[in-house]
Amino acid sequence: MAKKVPLQITLNGEERAEFVESGSTLLTALRDRFDDTSPKGGCNQGTCGACTVIIDGELRLACLTLAEMCDGASVQTTSGMAKGGVLHPLQRAFMEGFAAQCGFCTPGMIMAAKALLDRVPNPSRDEVIEALAGNICRCTGYEPIINAVLEAARANSHNAA
Amino acid sequence: MIRLAKEYFADQRKDDLHELGKGLQRSDAPGHVTAKTKYFADRTFPGMLYLKMVRSPHHHARIRSIDTSEAEKHPGVARVLTHKDVPHNVYTILILIQVGPEDEQVLAEDKVRWKGEAVVAVLADSPRAAEEAAAMVKVDYEVLPAVFDIDAALKPDAPLVNEYHGQNYYLYDSGECRKVRFGDVEKGFAESDHILEQTYWSSPIEHAPAETTGCIVVPEGNDRFTCYTNTQAMFFTLDNTSIILQMPGQKLHMVGGTVGGGFGGKVDVTVEPISILASKLTGRPVRFVYSREEEMQISSPRAAEKIVLKDGVTKDGRILARQVWGYTDAGAYSRHSPYGAQKGAAHYPGPYTIPNVSIDTYCVYTNRTPSSAMRGFGVTIADFALEVQMDKLARLIGMDPLEFRFLNAYRDGDMKAHRQPTEGAALIECMQEASRTADWPVAERFFKMSSYKTEA
């Protein structure tokens, strides 16, 4: 039996601790131990982006990140985006802009988009495309997703003004 | 932007189509954007076993022996399954609608017919233990000659791919191919000014859904099995599992409907029967999920096709005769391909009225990954071929390709080659809009045409 190691993280602002198998990925740890199934396992080899999360403010692929290396880190996932039942502007824009079809890539897309908007509040279209380049969607053809991110940025700046 | 032209056919309708053109939010969108949508794999159960499939490394081989003794002794292994454990090991999906014979093994017994065919299923406490044990299974193969394309498979001396068929093509009730005969093609060719025969080839295409194929099975206290699956075909899965496991349908509770992309690639019944069997034999929850590599290599792609189109056309732009030989590469097993090839037979005249038609479509077996459903399978590649052919025919007689299509477009009341009268055609109107939108002008008389009026 694989050795279990303690893992303490701040998950979407909440202090959490669980034992995980030594050598397991953050993706497995989040899904199987922390009951957060919002990051998806699409390829488990770092090519599809479905497992995208934000670790200490940086965009990361949970399937390529060793769980043990995240001890003490702050981890953000899509399941923590809505606050008090109010959707994040990105979530609203994805919902209203038909940017999710099967929905499997959506949590990763939203994380990649959030990492961009946290850094660049008013990105150009090219910057959005660049930011989503690591996330594969097989349904939408990307256009509604790109438009939704731009729409969320507009909504954000409108609220800030 | 989408423009809705409600004026078309307005006099044929009672409804004012007031719902059309309004944005409507998808009912599943809130779940998707909050990540609350539950896909089959978003579950874990205490005591869950992980299934790893041992697959054929050869395209075509006889199995001399299977030795699972080392794998069974590996720490963490709960059970190793072979063909002997499967109650009804040879099946075919469309037997449900009497499209036989059963021709595919759940787990290979005496022969493998494609590289990747399932041979032995290993069940262990962890994915790692399952993979390690799977590597310990010893299968002794005698490699056989293989065929990889339609032409090679149909040669008289070709190796036989699938003994359940007896020849390298599907035998329809109409013989070696599905046939459509309409009018007299020889007469049509004789009356034509030009004849053009072209051959079109296509390659297999993988759907590559974001979520790979899989299921999780839980044995319930009431002697039933709950199967969380991402199948696109719940009842195909239920009924085929019932046949394969010789288990009444009421013992099987399929839970699904949330699919992380399918595009036809999750219509076959591949993971559920073996997982339910494993759960039954171990009494434990079982998880079987394709790796990305398996999704790309093992799950069925769109079929490769070979299409020969021969058309007779007059110099003033009427197609008088079309003869078609269509070949669908089913791979090693039928799955949905006999049906796909049959669909092609009905489809090859395209949306055109041709008075003389002869169509033969073949479903051919090769030692390739079984092909199956994908977005309009049987007709999508046919459309590619026949529309390229339309452009070539137009060029041959020096006519504008869009005007050429107006001249041959089917209209309401026209009889199609497979004896279905045309109803509700809107091809003329679509082409009129396309002409305006794409700024591809055509002669004024084509704007006076209609799909359902008889003038022009």
Side-chain angles (χ1 to χ4, degrees):
Chain A
M1 186 186 279
K3 190 184 156 210
K4 298 282 196 295
V5 292
L7 177 64
Q8 185 164 357
I9 57 173
T10 306
L11 180 58
N12 296 318
E14 191 187 340
E15 291 294 327
R16 297 280 305 274
E18 297 286 341
F19 282 96
V20 301
E21 282 194 9
S22 180
S24 68
T25 65
L26 180 63
L27 179 63
T28 302
L30 288 174
R31 291 177 57 83
D32 292 358
R33 300 287 164 216
F34 288 85
D35 294 328
D36 184 350
T37 56
S38 65
K40 305 297 178 193
C43 70
N44 295 301
Q45 58 190 28
T47 55
C48 79
C51 67
T52 303
V53 297
I54 296 174
I55 304 172
D56 289 336
E58 295 288 329
L59 199 62
R60 290 282 182 260
L61 296 171
C63 80
L64 293 187
T65 305
L66 278 176
E68 288 153 83
M69 294 177 70
C70 300
D71 198 40
S74 172
V75 179
Q76 292 179 59
T77 69
T78 295
S79 58
M81 292 272 284
K83 301 290 182 207
V86 180
L87 295 182
H88 185 279
L90 271 168
Q91 292 175 306
R92 181 159 297 286
F94 268 64
M95 191 169 75
E96 291 173 354
F98 205 70
Q101 283 186 38
C102 86
F104 198 79
C105 75
T106 307
M109 284 285 181
I110 287 179
M111 277 294 107
K114 181 170 189 300
L116 171 70
L117 297 191
D118 286 351
R119 194 164 45 83
V120 187
N122 286 299
S124 67
R125 191 177 176 82
D126 283 349
E127 285 173 310
V128 173
I129 292 168
E130 171 84 29
L132 301 180
N135 294 67
I136 291 174
C137 171
R138 293 286 291 156
C139 302
T140 63
Y142 299 101
E143 282 298 305
I145 297 175
I146 296 162
N147 292 337
V149 178
L150 289 168
E151 178 55 37
R154 270 193 292 275
N156 265 341
S157 60
H158 183 73
N159 289 344
Chain B
M1 283 301 288
I2 294 172
R3 187 176 70 82
L4 293 160
K6 295 184 190 175
E7 65 273 19
Y8 281 113
F9 310 110
D11 57 341
Q12 288 190 323
R13 283 195 311 266
K14 291 194 181 96
D15 200 311
D16 66 357
L17 304 183
H18 63 279
E19 291 294 333
L20 285 187
K22 284 182 188 168
L24 196 64
Q25 191 180 289
R26 293 175 61 107
S27 59
D28 54 7
H32 289 349
V33 302
T34 54
K36 283 181 180 157
T37 299
K38 221 167 176 58
Y39 298 87
F40 84 92
D42 293 340
R43 299 176 172 82
T44 185
F45 297 93
M48 192 161 74
L49 294 171
Y50 295 82
L51 191 153
K52 175 70 185 171
M53 195 63 81
V54 178
R55 300 185 176 281
S56 164
H58 303 295
H59 299 287
H60 196 192
R62 196 168 305 289
I63 295 176
R64 291 200 193 98
S65 65
I66 299 172
D67 178 3
T68 62
S69 54
E70 287 301 310
E72 282 165 35
K73 282 184 257 173
H74 190 67
V77 170
R79 179 97 192 204
V80 178
L81 302 175
T82 69
H83 63 90
K84 289 178 192 156
D85 298 298
V86 185
H88 186 86
N89 193 43
V90 180
Y91 78 111
T92 193
I93 297 164
L94 292 182
I95 200 74
L96 304 176
I97 52 169
Q98 287 81 50
V99 179
E102 293 175 312
D103 70 345
E104 179 164 4
Q105 311 162 98
V106 176
L107 294 176
E109 181 177 353
D110 54 342
K111 222 181 128 175
V112 287
R113 298 180 174 86
W114 60 284
K115 187 177 172 178
E117 181 157 4
V119 184
V120 173
V122 177
L123 291 129
D125 290 340
S126 69
R128 181 171 173 171
E131 290 203 13
E132 286 168 349
M136 295 172 178
V137 171
K138 293 189 195 79
V139 184
D140 184 20
Y141 294 102
E142 176 196 343
V143 177
L144 301 171
V147 285
F148 299 114
D149 69 57
I150 290 159
D151 287 349
L154 291 178
K155 281 184 183 148
D157 57 346
L160 181 61
V161 173
N162 191 319
E163 287 75 5
Y164 296 102
H165 293 284
Q167 65 287 318
N168 287 344
Y169 52 83
Y170 185 78
L171 204 55
Y172 290 95
D173 52 14
S174 51
E176 75 280 10
C177 58
R178 190 45 97 199
K179 298 176 189 178
V180 173
R181 298 290 183 270
F182 187 65
D184 181 345
V185 278
E186 291 310 324
K187 184 165 158 284
F189 286 132
E191 291 168 359
S192 298
D193 297 313
H194 300 278
I195 291 171
L196 179 69
E197 182 177 319
Q198 299 279 289
T199 302
Y200 301 86
W201 292 89
S202 72
S203 299
I205 304 170
E206 166 55 36
H207 320 70
E211 175 205 48
T212 62
T213 302
C215 69
I216 296 177
V217 179
V218 181
E220 306 291 359
N222 58 4
D223 203 24
R224 294 174 78 192
F225 297 88
T226 304
C227 179
Y228 302 95
T229 166
N230 62 5
T231 181
Q232 289 178 259
M234 294 288 275
F235 289 90
F236 274 0
T237 303
L238 176 71
D239 293 348
N240 274 290
T241 304
S242 181
I243 292 169
I244 290 165
L245 302 187
Q246 299 286 290
M247 188 186 275
Q250 80 263 19
K251 290 199 180 297
L252 302 167
H253 181 201
M254 299 290 169
V255 179
T258 303
V259 182
F263 320 112
K266 291 169 180 164
V267 170
D268 293 350
V269 183
T270 52
V271 293
E272 296 88 354
I274 192 69
S275 302
I276 295 171
L277 177 66
S279 184
K280 182 182 178 213
L281 294 178
T282 60
R284 292 168 66 174
V286 170
R287 177 189 159 104
F288 181 18
V289 184
Y290 279 3
S291 66
R292 176 53 56 186
E293 185 182 3
E294 283 178 304
E295 190 66 36
M296 301 304 282
Q297 298 290 334
I298 304 303
S299 77
S300 48
R302 183 194 289 284
E305 291 184 46
K306 175 188 174 185
I307 298 164
V308 183
L309 292 179
K310 181 181 174 186
D311 286 328
V313 64
T314 64
K315 56 182 184 294
D316 59 352
R318 292 307 300 247
I319 305 172
L320 291 187
R322 170 166 290 175
Q323 191 160 13
V324 183
W325 296 268
Y327 304 86
T328 298
D329 185 344
Y333 296 110
S334 290
R335 301 211 181 161
H336 291 82
S337 288
Y339 167 65
Q342 172 164 319
K343 267 205 282 179
H347 192 75
Y348 276 109
Y352 307 109
T353 294
I354 302 173
N356 304 292
V357 174
S358 170
I359 300 168
D360 292 342
T361 58
Y362 296 78
C363 171
V364 182
Y365 299 104
T366 65
N367 295 108
R368 297 174 82 177
T369 308
S371 61
S372 195
M374 184 185 194
R375 298 196 143 188
F377 66 117
V379 302
T380 313
I381 304 299
D383 275 330
F384 160 74
L386 72 91
E387 294 301 340
V388 172
Q389 181 86 352
M390 291 298 283
D391 284 349
K392 288 184 177 179
L393 288 167
R395 202 175 302 139
L396 186 66
I397 56 170
M399 186 173 275
D400 177 272
L402 189 53
E403 293 191 348
F404 179 61
R405 285 172 169 83
F406 271 104
L407 282 178
N408 292 284
Y410 66 1
R411 298 195 278 170
D412 284 10
D414 289 353
M415 183 58 75
K416 297 183 205 171
H418 65 300
R419 311 304 197 279
Q420 290 288 319
T422 306
E423 295 171 24
L427 179 59
I428 298 280
E429 289 72 17
C430 285
M431 290 196 295
Q432 288 166 346
E433 285 301 318
S435 168
R436 289 190 194 101
T437 306
D439 195 19
W440 185 293
V442 292
E444 187 54 35
R445 65 188 171 110
F446 296 114
F447 281 98
K448 296 201 172 75
M449 288 174 72
S450 163
S451 286
Y452 74 105
K453 287 176 188 150
T454 51
E455 91 282 11

